[in-house]
Every structure is written in C-alpha cells, then in structure tokens.
Amino acid sequence: MYISKFYFIILFFLFSCVNEEKKFKNLNESVSYIGMNQCAACHSEQYESFIKTGMGKSFRPALKKYSSSNFNTILYDSNLHFSYYPHWKEEDLLIQEYSVENNDTVHSLIKKVDYIIGSGHHTNSHLFENNGYLYQAPFTYYIQDSILDFPPGFENNSNSRFSRKMGLECVACHNAYPKFVLGSENKYDEIPNGIDCERCHGPGELHINQMKKGDLVDTSRYIDYSIVNPSHLSPRLQNDMCARCHLQGNAVLKENKSFFDFRPGMYLKDVMDVYLPRYENSDDAFIMASHVDRMQLSACYINSNESLSCITCHNPHISVHETSNIQFNQKCIDCHLINSCKEEQPERNRFSDNCIHCHMRTSQTIDIPHVKITDHKISIFEKDSVTMIQNSSFLGLHCVNNQQPTYESVAQAYLQQYERFESHDFYLDSAQRYIDKIDSSNKQGIYIKIYHLFLKQDYSKLIQDVESIGLDSILNFYYLNKDYSNRDAWTCYRMGEAFFKNDRFNEAEKCYRQSVKLAPYNLEFRNKYGVCLFKQNNLEFARDEFEFIINEDNNFVSAYTNLGYLNLKLLNKKEALKYYNYALKLDPNHEETLINKAELLLLDDNKKDAFLCIDKLLLINPTNEKAKSLYNYLNEI
C-alpha cells in the first residue's frame, strides 16, 4: 500500500509528540534546583509578570507591604477562653494571646509572625518559626469577606494555638522547595519566598549550564530538552503538573517517595495517589484546591477525548485577575459557536455573553470558610445553591489521579483519612477490607497493619502481631530507612506506644529509641522516649532527652512538664516548680502540668494554690478523673 510522504510526516510528528515527554533531561534526579533569580537573568519579562500572580505571591515574609489583612478585630475562643490580638508594631507583625479574669489579664503570650502564606486573592494565613521549626499561628484574614477568623482546622473546639506543625506536604505546595531537615516533621534550614519557575519547568541546573557554555537551541524550530516547557507535554502530563498542587486531597506517597520527588513531565501517580471523598447527591460540593478534579468531571474535558488541560485556558505567567473575560470566553468559542447558547437573550446581554459567569460559577468550598472560588467543573447549573455534604451519605474514597491504585494504597488512604481529617470508625472498617487483601508479611503490609491497629487502639493485637514476627527482627531489618516521610520511624513509634500502654517499658524503649534514631528532630518521639527512660528510672538519660527538646524548640510544653516531674523525683521541688510555672506560662490550660503542680503544692501544704490549679483544670475539663479525685481530697482535709 502506498503511503504518501505527507502522511508519513504526520505519523512521525504524532509519534514524536507521544514520546517527547520521555526526553526532558532535567527529569534526572541528579539535576539540581537553582532558584528563580537565576531564571530572571534571561527571562526578565516572564519573571516580572509571574511574581504578580497568585503563585508568585504565595509565600512571603510577614511585612506590611505583602499583607492584605485588616486587623481591626479581636478573635475570641469561647472554649479555651483565649483572645487573639494580631497587630503591627512598626514592621513586625505580632499575635498576642491573652486571657482576662475579673478585669485582670491572667495570661499573655506574644509571638512574632515570620511569614504570610496565601496570595491575598482569598486569604492571608500566618506562620512563625522557632529555631527552624515552622508552625501556623491561630489567625487568618479572609480577604473576600474582610473577616478575621481562625484558620481552617482550628474551628469547632480544635484550636491548637501555636502547636500546629507546618510539614513538608503543606509547604511544598504553597512555595518553592525548601531546605527541609531530614528526620523532622517541620524543621527547615531555609525557606524560599513564593512558588518559583522550577515548579512548572523542573530544576534548572542543566539548562543554565548549557546556556553558560553557549550551547543554544533555536526554540522556534526545535525543543530544548534541557528544561521542561509544559506546552510540549501531553495534556495528561500538563494536568499532572498542575495537579501536584491544584489537587490537594489525601495524598498517599508511593514507597520510597517524598513530596520532593515529583518533577514536571512525570506522571503524578508514579509519586503519589491522591484521594478525595465522594458523597451521594453532592456533585456540586468541592474543596478549594480541587481544580483538576473538577475540570476532569466536565463534559468539555470528557468530550475532548481528555485533551483539555489547565493551560488550555490559563497562562501561568499572567495573573488570572489581569486576564480579560474575552480571552477566557474565546477558549469556549473555539469549540462552541456563540449562537449555540440557549440562554435567553436578556440574560446574555446582562452578563455580556460571559460564558464563565454561567458555566463556571463562583461558589463556596466545603473545606475553607469565607472563601468563594471558580468551580472548574464546566456545567449547565440548574440550581442556585451548592449542595453541601452534611446530610449526604459517604460513598467512599476515590483516587483521582490513578485508575488502578493498589490495595495497599487504598488501605493507607482510609487510615490517613481517619487520622488527619475525620475520625469516623467506618474509615477503619473500610481500611480493613483492603488490608485483608494484601500481603501482611512484607514490609509495606506490616507498616499498614501496625498503622491500622494503632489507630484502632488495639494495642494487644498489635503486640501479638509484632511478636509473631519478632520485635528485634522488625527493628533490625524492616525499619532502618531514614527518609523525608519518616514512615519507618512512625512504625517504630507506634509499636513503642503499644508496648508502653501495656507497661512493657523495656520493649517500648527499644522502639522509641529506633524512632528517634530514624527521626531525631521529631520532638514528640524524643519526648516519649524520655518518658519511657524515666519510667525505668534512667533519670539522667531522660533529662538529656527533655533538655535536647527545649534546646531545639523552647516552646515545647511537655518537655518542661517532664523536667519538672523529673526534678520532683530528685526531691528538687524548687526547680520542679520553676519548670511547671514556665510550662503554664506557655499553656495555662495544660492539664498534666496543672495536676503535677497541684500535687507539688500539696507536698508543701499549700492547699489554697493547689485548689486553684484543680479548680482551673476542672473548668477546662470537668471529666478529668485525677482532678476530680484531688478536688474531693482537698474538700475532705
């Protein structure tokens, strides 16, 4: 059969496009990131435009010129009885937490805010760091409604005050890649400012070295494979590039992968599976960062044979607020004749034939309060209001970037959903169905099984399963990997907790010690290791752990409490009281410290102050059994 030269050229071109995604050389792990300032040297026009976009303004120092907030109100937490007063003191942004009783300020704690997270299009949230440990401050300004309120996750009696860790998963999507301290949850050696060029183009070391050597490529005729140009990726890879951050759900990392591992030009499923919950009759309910998922639910995407991508409509170098409706509408008209619109003419005239207004409506999200965004599910909407999920039946977790996730991945997704988002027992039940299908004798199977039993608090069964393999075998062979996810360290910690809850402190110590070895800057691990050492009367080694913690992060309340208790054990009551008082200065509602301080005061026959501690504790938590017992004892003597 004769094949024309023209037809052959077309086939060759199509074959080349399919395989172009494999040719970008900066996908290699050996190629380093260089920072966007080096990109600006040659691409100043794109740089100047990009830094004005939401991505370019996503993460910046806490300076007035970068703030979109108006701090004219004071937040009040009626559960903790704390007020929060954010304010500027010259160029420093401060947040004061305080409590007032009988017109007297009985508690005041001031933190300096170091970073503003959020471009100012929707929100400004606020972060602070302490010796590199990064935390979220308990206030967010919601730009669209001009409201100061608590951040998402701090509501409904869940105000974690100044202890919410900002881990790599969060920071890596709101920013360029930071220098993360291996073996920590939230410690950084360096934090850049704003999402940069390399998040979409990949690491630039190879490209800039090629330019310095004068090895130039005529990009009007050829593709420069030293750097990813997203326009040369397939639509699926383009969407995966955007989905890395615009598809934030329940991310399950693949084994031996981290949030650093994805590079533009890769399939997202090779690094992580992302899950979203689905609910019955709630097609119009969505979370804020679900743009890719919503787009892919659209008839436009489906009927395009999945050739529609985010950059079909968006130019990432230009702010969406500086892009005219005409430009967006033209993308619709490219496929749909304007005369095909079935809306009544007066309504069309009212909104100047703006397709976006009707077919991509602005709506509230189910995860972020006071925020409205453009729903990227292109639809013909029949109802005026969005269906929320409160009264909808849960259908299951759906993996939105991988049609064939493994049983291990799905099981872990349900466990993470329970631990991180909503503690519903049916998530654990769902996880069990998939755990029954996996090989629980290999490392991944052991990890998931231990994780499940830990969340169920079935510590006896966890210990039984561990001992059937052999604790030393697990610690010496299975869990030796130090990585960014701290997965092995968490497994050791969870085993340690099971043994500790059963008063088997020798085995617990082995597990905690291994968790600290693998994640030395996870201060929670060190704290529990120190407590376990204390239980075995290894007081000096326990002291070393607690002092390490406060030298790393001097806001770690439990370490001060434990140092106080340790000093009391050594009959150094004055030193013990000093540590208790400092812990209560950081957190006046800390239950364990209030109990310990009351007991110490009773040893000195200071019944009045002991009663004040117990009375305060019962006000915070009327169900605290130890406090009720001490209260009854004080009333009897």
Side-chain angles (χ1 to χ4, degrees), residues 34-69:
I34 57 173
M36 69 189 301
N37 289 334
Q38 294 204 50
C39 306
C42 295
H43 303 280
S44 58
E45 182 179 346
Q46 290 88 345
Y47 171 84
E48 292 297 336
S49 175
F50 176 76
I51 60 174
K52 297 174 184 176
T53 67
M55 289 186 290
K57 299 189 292 185
S58 60
F59 195 105
R60 293 173 294 179
L63 301 173
K64 280 185 180 179
K65 64 181 179 179
Y66 298 136
S67 176
S68 302
S69 304

Side-chain angles (χ1 to χ4, degrees), residues 304-361:
S304 73
N305 293 320
E306 302 184 354
S307 66
L308 189 68
S309 82
C310 306
I311 62 176
T312 301
C313 301
H314 288 282
N315 181 346
H317 294 125
I318 300 175
S319 171
V320 67
H321 296 286
E322 295 179 8
T323 305
S324 70
N325 288 335
I326 295 173
Q327 288 178 260
F328 286 124
N329 283 335
Q330 185 59 50
K331 300 297 182 180
C332 303
I333 296 169
D334 286 345
C335 295
H336 303 276
L337 294 175
I338 191 68
N339 293 330
S340 67
C341 181
K342 297 178 182 179
E343 183 58 83
E344 297 292 332
Q345 192 62 49
E347 190 72 5
R348 289 173 58 179
N349 293 341
R350 181 183 171 198
F351 296 107
S352 304
D353 274 330
N354 182 1
C355 311
I356 309 301
H357 180 270
C358 293
H359 298 288
M360 296 179 69
R361 63 183 178 181

